[in-house]
Amino acid sequence: MKKPKHKKEFTKSEPVKADPINRRDFFNKSWKWLGIIAAVEVTGMFTGFMFSGKSKNNSNPKQLLEAGPVDSFALSSVSAFMGGRFYLARQQDGGFIALSLRCTHLGCSITWEETHKRFICPCHSSAFDISGKVLNPPAARALDYYPVMIENGIVKVDIGILMERNTFRKDQLQYA
Ligand code: FES
């Protein structure tokens, strides 16, 4: 007698066993991937270093922060811009400098003392004058600063570039 076409025959088969993991293959592949990831990271670091612009001071492309019109800053005055993490100091001769608020000793935040016309660090009492020059150790270097630009009478500070220095020089000031 003929069997109906659509009926399947089921046969008993052996259960399928998963291949056991070959540990040597697993470790070989892991090492290969770790090697590739490390190579990519090293390449990224190298190209970042090579094309980052000016020496080690650079971190980002221009990040201009508008501080305000030139005339709104009196001679020999200091204005705090805590969001930008700098003090904009206008010197007696009209020059501007944007001083980092990080002490160059161990990085505490400095504060401006109007009565003594100086920056003071609360951690170990380093003091700096209005241009950022060291008045009192243990800090050995002048305060770091950000480049200032003056465009159409507006003072702008590039907070993407922190400039390191040992001491104050007049060419670090920006004039209107
Ligand atoms: S961190 Fe400023 S004096 Fe030490």
Side-chain angles (χ1 to χ4, degrees):
M1 195 176 143
K2 233 181 171 184
K3 286 181 193 172
K5 252 185 180 179
H6 60 279
K7 273 200 174 176
K8 265 188 176 178
E9 270 185 44
F10 292 97
T11 56
K12 209 174 178 186
S13 62
E14 289 289 313
V16 180
K17 281 185 189 171
D19 283 341
I21 296 172
N22 182 332
R23 292 179 67 182
R24 182 178 293 178
D25 279 357
F26 175 77
F27 283 117
N28 280 345
K29 281 180 183 161
S30 298
W31 280 116
K32 198 186 281 179
W33 277 108
L34 284 175
I36 290 170
I37 290 167
V40 168
E41 286 202 9
V42 167
T43 305
M45 282 167 54
F46 178 74
T47 50
F49 174 76
M50 291 300 289
F51 301 108
S52 64
K54 278 192 258 169
S55 70
K56 63 176 181 178
N57 290 329
N58 270 7
S59 42
N60 291 315
K62 276 189 182 169
Q63 292 178 32
L64 289 183
L65 189 148
E66 278 195 19
V70 170
D71 295 341
S72 64
F73 301 102
L75 297 181
S76 195
S77 70
V78 169
S79 309
F81 288 83
M82 291 309 177
R85 300 193 54 76
F86 67 87
Y87 288 100
L88 185 64
R90 191 169 194 194
Q91 312 298 301
Q92 186 57 45
D93 69 355
F96 286 92
I97 189 163
L99 300 167
S100 165
L101 54 75
R102 282 173 54 90
C103 176
T104 51
H105 179 225
L106 293 176
C108 292
S109 294
I110 54 165
T111 54
W112 174 246
E113 284 185 347
E114 184 61 37
T115 46
H116 296 102
K117 290 278 181 196
R118 65 177 187 176
F119 294 98
I120 188 86
C121 178
C123 293
H124 313 99
S125 303
S126 285
F128 308 85
D129 75 3
I130 194 170
S131 67
K133 204 162 42 183
V134 177
L135 295 174
N136 193 50
R141 292 192 307 107
L143 294 171
D144 298 331
Y145 68 103
Y146 298 97
V148 171
M149 274 143 271
I150 298 175
E151 293 172 352
N152 302 322
I154 304 295
V155 182
K156 298 175 181 177
V157 177
D158 186 351
I159 56 172
I161 302 173
L162 184 62
M163 308 293 288
E164 291 180 2
R165 59 182 177 166
N166 288 320
T167 190
F168 168 72
R169 285 195 328 267
K170 207 163 162 47
D171 64 5
Q172 295 160 354
L173 297 178
Q174 188 66 43
Y175 294 87

